Amino acid sequence: MREFSNLIGGEPRPADRTLDSVDPSTGRAWARIPRSTAGDADAAVTAARTAFPAWSAMPAAGRAHLLREVAGVFAANARELAELETRDNGRIITETARRDLPGMTYLWQLAAAECGAAVEGRTVILGPGSLGFTRRVPYGVVVGIIPWNSPISTFSAKAAFALAAGNTVVIKPAEQAAASTLRLGELLREVLPPGVLNIVSGLGEEAGDALVRHPGVNRISLTGSTETARIITRASTDALKPLAFELGGKSPNIVFADADLDRAALGVSTQSVFTANAGQVCVAGSRILIQRPVFAEMIDRITAITRGIRLGDPLSEETTMGPIVSAEQFQRVTGYLEIAAKEGAELVFGGRSGGEIVDEAYAGGYWVEPTLFTTEDNALRVCQEEIFGPVAVALPFDTDEEAIAIANDSAYGLAAGVWTRDLGRAHRMCRDVEAGTVWVNTYRKMPPGLPFEGLKDSGYGHDSVLANTREKSCLIET
């Protein structure tokens, strides 16, 4: 059993109690992480507050230099970090090693390049002898609460830009998958000044609650569930903390008859919901809207593609889909398979779960097949509720207006996909579909240069350098 510690004030800090971290491909514990208390959370915030004056006063060029060194740590330790994350949450190694780690190295380099933007302001000539100007200032201590489905990526998005802006940071990883983040703490303590970055693992109702209620915390950024966001909102009201939430989704993937159907079939299946971390991604295009003239043809194409999906050892380069992250999430996903059947949705393929669909060595893991249902009723629970697994529903539509109506008939508004050769239609869809991000003829691409922000129950706010600063106005008269 591998042991991991918190990072507080630049030093490894074990907690008095621990939690087992379970390998979801086998169902067996492989590591222990701290089950932090309110006292651990307070120590981390205190360390961050102590480090804040010097870090925020450091010239932007100095912070940029250190963030480039952090990028170097990611590059030098990429394989180890990728394997840790794969073992901890089941995300296949081809995603963690080829997609996540190279992307995060670039993200830290980008954050370093944007340090200067954090200190830029505006000048306004108000009249003779009267000059107004603004300064961008950091908030102070920023808490980042990150999910289990993509810890390294969300850790980087929250920590890199907050640090670039001059804030100090406390990260709370999800208890289901904290190992890669805690290992990063071990590595980065050699680069960043003590207290600038702190990492505290544990349960949300213990360490997480203590952090969001702490009077020394100045901003909170969560990537997680809508229900967790509501809890944090209620817990943080006394201190009026600024909040940023990137939450769940039930994203529509809209295929028009004029689309490149081969490209669309790949986009709505392996790039969107099934092999994309076994559907455990917030932007999963789990509602596949297909124009009626090509509905049957698209279902056939999707079915043919999913026959090639291989479940198994997430550390194998040959595996194309991993397990569900935990026993709790496995029960949730398989419960929706039963709900869909009871609601009358028609099963196209999949629907099986458990150890019989993988090699015997992984029979104890949390496995669910890629599964597709069809229906014409967008009111079904499997069309409205976020499943967070490799389960999708296909619905036919006739007109552009009907596609928009179905797409927008959701409490969520995180992302959407549109597949068409018609440029005018593409622009109308970008305008009229209620989603923070709309992809056209592609899916699940999130370059750091573009903001990623949800609508409706999918949250608000984002993690950029400017989002981690406030604009302070000054007026001088002579």
Side-chain angles (χ1 to χ4, degrees):
M1 294 282 284
R2 187 163 176 179
E3 303 274 351
F4 292 92
S5 297
N6 291 327
L7 175 68
I8 299 177
E11 297 296 329
R13 180 87 64 89
D16 293 335
R17 298 178 296 170
T18 62
L19 297 166
D20 284 344
S21 190
V22 175
D23 181 339
S25 69
T26 64
R28 294 191 293 270
W30 72 281
R32 293 190 181 94
I33 63 170
R35 181 177 174 177
S36 302
T37 64
D40 297 313
D42 177 69
V45 175
T46 299
R49 291 193 69 82
T50 300
F52 174 71
W55 180 253
S56 60
M58 182 182 292
R63 291 200 298 273
H65 171 73
L66 290 175
L67 295 190
R68 283 191 291 270
E69 289 199 359
V70 171
V73 169
F74 272 77
N77 298 275
R79 186 67 189 189
E80 178 197 359
L81 293 169
E83 290 180 356
L84 280 175
E85 184 146 314
T86 291
R87 190 168 189 190
D88 213 20
N89 72 356
R91 189 181 180 98
I92 59 175
I93 193 67
T94 50
E95 284 231 338
T96 56
R98 296 179 189 172
R99 175 188 172 105
D100 291 3
L101 266 300
M104 294 311 101
T105 300
Y106 170 72
L107 185 146
W108 282 90
Q109 293 169 339
L110 177 64
E114 293 188 0
C115 282
V119 297
E120 292 176 354
R122 297 179 292 122
T123 301
V124 181
I125 306 299
L126 301 171
S130 183
L131 173 68
F133 64 94
T134 67
R135 297 169 54 91
R136 301 212 72 90
V137 296
Y139 280 98
V141 176
V142 173
V143 165
I145 301 174
I146 64 176
W148 45 259
N149 63 329
S150 190
I152 289 175
S153 296
T154 46
F155 163 85
S156 296
K158 295 189 187 307
F161 295 117
L163 293 174
N167 301 284
T168 51
V169 173
V170 180
I171 294 291
K172 160 62 176 69
E175 61 268 23
Q176 297 91 341
S180 59
T181 306
L182 293 169
R183 174 59 178 148
L184 274 168
E186 296 174 4
L187 296 168
L188 296 182
R189 64 184 290 260
E190 304 298 329
V191 175
L192 295 171
V196 167
L197 172 68
N198 306 272
I199 303 171
V200 178
S201 78
L203 300 177
E205 60 268 30
E206 295 175 351
D209 184 69
L211 286 172
V212 300
R213 294 180 186 275
H214 199 291
V217 170
N218 303 105
R219 184 177 190 263
I220 300 168
S221 176
L222 163 76
T223 297
S225 71
T226 302
E227 183 53 39
T228 300
R230 293 191 176 105
I231 293 170
I232 290 174
T233 300
R234 290 190 290 267
S236 64
T237 52
D238 287 345
L240 300 177
K241 302 180 194 300
L243 306 173
F245 293 141
E246 192 260 282
L247 308 176
K250 194 69 179 177
S251 299
N253 225 334
I254 308 168
V255 181
F256 287 93
D258 72 331
D260 178 334
L261 298 187
D262 286 332
R263 186 177 178 186
L266 281 170
V268 303
S269 56
T270 58
Q271 296 171 11
S272 174
V273 63
F274 298 129
T275 57
N277 198 15
Q280 299 169 110
V281 290
C282 55
V283 298
S286 54
R287 287 189 298 152
I288 306 173
L289 281 55
I290 305 170
Q291 201 159 26
R292 202 175 298 272
V294 295
F295 187 83
E297 183 179 355
M298 274 295 296
I299 294 297
D300 288 343
R301 289 171 185 260
I302 294 168
T303 302
I305 289 169
T306 57
R307 289 196 187 106
I309 292 175
R310 178 172 179 175
L311 282 68
D313 179 6
L315 287 168
S316 168
E317 298 278 342
E318 297 179 355
T319 299
T320 55
M321 195 180 105
I324 303 301
V325 72
S326 65
E328 180 184 10
Q329 185 64 16
F330 174 79
Q331 292 299 323
R332 175 181 173 84
V333 174
T334 55
Y336 275 104
L337 300 180
E338 298 175 6
I339 289 169
K342 290 178 181 177
E343 290 184 320
E346 181 179 345
L347 179 66
V348 179
F349 57 75
R352 296 188 303 159
S353 62
E356 72 274 8
I357 60 177
V358 291
D359 294 339
E360 185 178 347
Y362 299 96
Y366 312 124
W367 302 95
V368 177
E369 279 185 318
T371 300
L372 179 67
F373 294 95
T374 61
T375 182
E376 296 211 19
D377 186 358
N378 190 52
L380 299 187
R381 287 181 62 187
V382 290
C383 297
Q384 291 292 322
E385 298 175 12
E386 185 177 39
I387 298 173
F388 227 62
V391 181
V393 183
L395 302 98
F397 69 89
D398 292 300
T399 66
D400 291 28
E401 291 73 22
E402 185 182 6
I404 292 168
I406 296 172
N408 292 343
D409 181 20
S410 171
Y412 296 104
L414 188 59
V418 177
W419 302 85
T420 181
R421 289 186 172 98
D422 185 328
L423 184 59
R425 170 184 282 150
H427 279 282
R428 290 194 300 274
M429 291 292 141
C430 287
R431 180 192 66 199
D432 294 338
V433 172
E434 295 170 352
T437 295
V438 179
W439 292 289
V440 178
N441 298 326
T442 188
Y443 205 86
R444 207 164 65 97
K445 291 184 178 179
M446 292 173 276
L450 288 175
F452 185 68
E453 182 171 356
L455 305 177
K456 301 192 285 189
D457 281 0
S458 292
Y460 54 84
H462 54 87
D463 296 307
S464 65
V465 168
L466 295 186
N468 276 284
T469 64
R470 296 174 290 182
E471 196 169 26
K472 180 179 180 180
S473 295
C474 303
L475 175 62
I476 298 177
E477 292 189 351
T478 59

